[in-house]
Amino acid sequence: MSEHSTYTPGSGIEKWLDERLPIIRFSKEHLMDFPTPKNLNYWWTFGAILVMCLLVQIVTGVILAMHYTPNIAMAFDSVEHIRRDVNGGRIIQATHAVGASMFFAAVYIHIFRGMYFGSYKAPREILWILGVLIFLLMMATAFMGYVLPWGQMSGWAATVITNIFAAIPVIGTPLLELLRGGFSVGNPTLNRFFSLHYLLPFVIAAVVALHIWALHVPGNNNPTGVDVKDSRDTLPFHPYYTMKDLFGMVLFMIPFAWFIFFAPDILGHPDNYIQFDSQVTPAHIVPEWYFLPFYAILRAIDFNLLFIDSKLLGVIFFGGSILILFLLPWLDTSKVRSGNFRPMFRWFYWLFVINFVALTYLGAQPADGIYVLLSKICTAYYFIHFIVILPVLGRIETPRPLPTSISESVLSKSHA
Amino acid sequence: MATQTQHSTTRRDFLFVATGAVGAVGAAAVVWPLINQMNPDASTLALASIEFSLAGIEEGQSVTILWRGLPVFVRNRTAKEIEEAKAVPLSELKDPATDESRTKEGHENWLVMIANCTHLGCIPVGESGEFDGWACPCHGSQFDTAGRIRKGPAPTNLVVPPYEFINDTLIKIG
């Protein structure tokens, strides 16, 4: 969006550089002068918070890799070595482990913010799709990272998750052996997971760059969902949003730091401090909290449907629960973006949030009794929200009148 | 120049497509070994068969051994367990198999099965669940005294690996 640039190279050197690699011009256009809606609330700071999370994970991860040994005989001990012997290792390891949880907490807020304010609607479909892709890459990275300490939860997570691929007809078993590098999870598995866990964050960084590129074509959505009409609706990104984002980051660091310094293990499982034993599964295995909703969906399917057995069907629902997010821009038929102006959508949005939290809770419960039935109901509702409620709502709902512009909505608020 | 572009296919087009096709085949041929290196290596495949002595496993006792890195249950079943397994009508089974088909003739007390649940690979806990067999702690699958799936998300019975009796107290798995 070069039309917003006010950049004129000052010195001779800047002019020389600008004609060869206009990197200062690019930074000024996209990091400083970029016109940003002036009504963005704090939910919009999570994009910047997520960039910070990725950087924290990369920096701490590169450091941990200097001390970690990806071999089944030594991996478990090397993590303990980091926590006990390496200078400051206790804090760095805790930051990386807690950082994964904080990263997912932030990404869930970011996703649900997009869902409420309709940030996935035209012309931001590609932006949304890239976001879902980042979410998928994050899940893969987090899963492989979780395997590296080689505790009981690590090993059994690796066993269960790779087994999901075995449900695919015909190619399932060869694919499973290809992924594991053996008939069971072992040293080849650990070794390749370490390699890929190191690679994927950089792939994520690349997709984040595309995500921001796709954001900077139409510009930010905003709480009213009304398009930017003229320069009165916007503020330059710097200093207005650089400062707001920084303040958001500082607030976000408070719980982050609390976990690191006071409760680094509270989000983990004691079983992961027992080295992996391929002959004994812990009595109650659960994934990390951020995978629980999808895990609940996987477990809820314990029945066959026509010629599809329960295992494959569970995997189809599990995969479908994430892949359906790619279709969200076309499933929501309403032309109004922001949930603030959609009286019926608001109710169903919060019902969806509650249902998602319920799935999180159910994923952590044992797979018997009432929990199985509740998981089935919540799984059904998860899909009904996307496949039935969203398409129908757009047709039957009468949205509230939209403000004519962002500045009008801001001014009417300040007068009220 | 205009007349040239009207030609539907030229010698140049053919060479262009042929070069591209050879290039694509070449790229695929290079990619395959890069993926194939992930498959089980020679040292993993070398563990394909093992011998195991049954001597010392009392009636009602179960041991877990490793075969190709996979845990394998070897259980010396009690007479009651065998009876229970035989009494189940096939119509009640999700993955119908007779008790005889899961053991070797003349050695019906010995049950040899890969210990990974056929759902997602956890190790079921022995002598538990509603069917006196195995119950998987991960996703709630339950197996009977012949290792057949009776309840829960697992699609098939626990897998009986290929094995044979060399003599009454020695088996060869794989």
Side-chain angles (χ1 to χ4, degrees):
Chain A
M1 290 188 133
S2 52
E3 66 267 26
H4 304 294
S5 177
T6 55
Y7 177 68
T8 40
S11 61
I13 294 171
E14 275 183 63
K15 196 163 180 300
W16 183 86
L17 184 65
D18 197 52
E19 283 163 2
R20 285 158 181 82
L21 180 71
I23 191 165
I24 301 175
R25 178 183 297 277
F26 182 86
S27 308
K28 196 155 186 332
E29 280 169 20
H30 288 280
L31 300 174
M32 297 179 73
D33 296 343
F34 191 75
T36 313
K38 63 181 175 185
N39 59 339
L40 298 189
N41 57 33
Y42 275 103
W43 300 117
W44 260 264
T45 61
F46 279 88
I49 288 170
L50 284 161
V51 171
M52 177 188 73
C53 285
L54 181 61
L55 287 178
V56 166
Q57 292 307 89
I58 289 178
V59 170
T60 53
V62 168
I63 293 169
L64 290 174
M66 295 180 187
H67 303 278
Y68 171 79
T69 314
N71 179 291
I72 54 169
M74 293 180 271
F76 185 83
D77 290 340
S78 75
V79 174
E80 286 310 304
H81 159 74
I82 290 168
R83 291 170 65 106
R84 290 153 198 260
D85 305 336
V86 174
N87 300 329
R90 180 175 72 89
I91 298 301
I92 296 168
Q93 193 272 342
T95 307
H96 197 70
V98 170
S101 277
M102 297 306 289
F103 202 160
F104 273 95
V107 90
Y108 278 125
I109 292 171
H110 193 63
I111 291 169
F112 277 103
R113 188 269 291 158
M115 284 180 165
Y116 181 79
F117 292 106
S119 299
Y120 47 82
K121 291 183 191 181
R124 297 185 181 83
E125 301 96 323
I126 297 287
L127 172 61
W128 173 262
I129 287 169
L130 288 167
V132 179
L133 195 61
I134 293 168
F135 181 50
L136 272 175
L137 285 167
M138 278 175 65
M139 292 174 105
T141 310
F143 157 65
M144 287 194 251
Y146 192 59
V147 174
L148 302 183
W150 209 242
Q152 273 286 63
M153 286 296 182
S154 301
W156 288 104
T159 303
V160 168
I161 302 297
T162 51
N163 237 315
I164 285 177
F165 292 93
I168 301 169
V170 187
I171 61 159
T173 306
L175 182 65
L176 177 69
E177 285 167 10
L178 180 85
L179 289 172
R180 288 177 175 175
F183 303 104
S184 59
V185 168
N187 200 51
T189 323
L190 178 63
N191 239 308
R192 67 191 51 184
F193 278 15
F194 176 64
S195 168
L196 295 173
H197 182 70
Y198 206 120
L199 166 72
L200 285 184
F202 299 98
V203 177
I204 291 177
V207 184
V208 167
L210 291 178
H211 190 64
I212 295 172
W213 185 4
L215 168 70
H216 279 208
V217 175
N220 295 73
N221 184 27
N222 67 84
T224 65
V226 175
D227 284 324
V228 168
K229 296 219 166 53
D230 57 46
S231 59
R232 277 177 307 166
D233 293 342
T234 64
L235 291 168
F237 187 72
H238 177 75
Y240 296 95
Y241 285 109
T242 43
M243 286 307 124
K244 186 161 183 163
D245 285 346
L246 265 175
F247 186 61
M249 288 180 199
V250 169
L251 292 181
F252 186 78
M253 285 310 292
I254 294 171
F256 199 152
W258 182 81
F259 277 119
I260 294 169
F261 292 108
F262 298 102
D265 289 322
I266 203 170
L267 297 166
H269 303 283
D271 273 310
N272 220 30
Y273 290 98
I274 303 166
Q275 195 166 347
F276 176 50
D277 178 353
S278 68
Q279 301 199 25
V280 184
T281 307
H284 186 48
I285 74 160
V286 273
E288 292 291 86
W289 69 269
Y290 40 82
F291 289 140
L292 288 173
F294 304 104
Y295 186 69
I297 290 172
L298 173 72
R299 277 200 319 193
I301 311 299
D302 58 0
F303 49 88
N304 297 347
L305 185 73
L306 305 174
F307 57 92
I308 305 172
D309 70 41
S310 51
K311 179 174 169 179
L312 178 59
L313 196 65
V315 172
I316 289 171
F317 272 75
F318 174 70
S321 65
I322 299 161
L323 297 181
I324 202 165
L325 294 173
F326 282 114
L327 300 176
L328 180 57
W330 295 276
L331 290 170
D332 185 346
T333 51
S334 173
K335 292 276 172 277
V336 176
R337 290 201 190 101
S338 172
N340 282 348
F341 301 97
R342 299 185 60 192
M344 289 168 79
F345 168 81
R346 276 172 92 145
W347 285 103
F348 285 107
Y349 172 82
W350 288 112
L351 209 54
F352 178 75
V353 172
I354 292 166
N355 187 64
F356 195 75
V357 173
L359 279 169
T360 308
Y361 170 77
L362 291 167
Q365 301 310 311
D368 52 30
I370 185 75
Y371 298 122
V372 178
L373 179 67
L374 288 174
S375 297
K376 283 176 186 166
I377 293 169
C378 290
T379 299
Y381 187 76
Y382 180 92
F383 285 96
I384 288 169
H385 177 82
F386 287 109
I387 295 169
V388 180
I389 293 172
L390 285 182
V392 171
L393 267 191
R395 292 196 172 82
I396 62 169
E397 183 182 50
T398 316
R400 286 174 37 212
L402 294 171
T404 50
S405 74
I406 292 170
S407 62
E408 186 218 279
S409 116
V410 173
L411 289 174
S412 68
K413 243 183 222 163
S414 63
H415 289 304
Chain B
M1 292 303 268
T3 50
Q4 266 187 6
T5 53
Q6 277 165 9
H7 278 294
S8 52
T9 50
T10 62
R11 192 179 147 83
R12 182 165 291 239
D13 289 334
F14 172 77
L15 287 172
F16 192 73
V17 172
T19 309
V22 171
V25 170
V30 171
V31 166
W32 172 240
L34 297 180
I35 295 171
N36 187 40
Q37 53 79 24
M38 289 176 75
N39 270 317
D41 59 30
S43 69
T44 306
L45 295 172
L47 303 168
S49 90
I50 56 163
E51 285 183 10
F52 178 69
S53 168
L54 301 176
I57 304 176
E58 303 289 330
E59 187 177 308
Q61 193 188 355
S62 188
V63 297
T64 312
I65 59 173
L66 280 180
W67 169 63
R68 304 202 303 191
L70 295 170
V72 173
F73 287 141
V74 179
R75 179 163 180 82
N76 190 349
R77 299 191 294 173
T78 61
K80 178 171 166 279
E81 286 173 342
I82 299 168
E83 246 172 69
E84 269 179 32
K86 286 189 169 169
V88 182
L90 286 186
S91 57
E92 268 184 35
L93 297 171
K94 187 172 175 181
D95 179 16
T98 59
D99 187 57
E100 289 78 9
S101 71
R102 300 182 54 78
T103 53
K104 300 287 177 198
E105 209 180 330
H107 304 282
E108 281 182 350
N109 57 324
W110 292 104
L111 191 59
V112 179
M113 309 182 294
I114 293 174
N116 295 101
C117 176
T118 52
H119 181 223
L120 293 173
C122 296
I123 311 289
V125 178
E127 289 165 78
S128 59
E130 292 167 35
F131 306 94
D132 288 340
W134 287 264
C136 184
C138 292
H139 308 98
S141 292
Q142 301 201 5
F143 302 88
D144 65 13
T145 55
R148 296 173 297 196
I149 178 66
R150 299 296 293 275
K151 192 181 169 189
T156 56
N157 303 332
L158 290 176
V159 175
V160 176
Y163 74 98
E164 60 189 63
F165 277 85
I166 292 172
N167 58 48
D168 277 353
T169 57
L170 193 67
I171 57 170
K172 184 179 169 213
I173 305 177

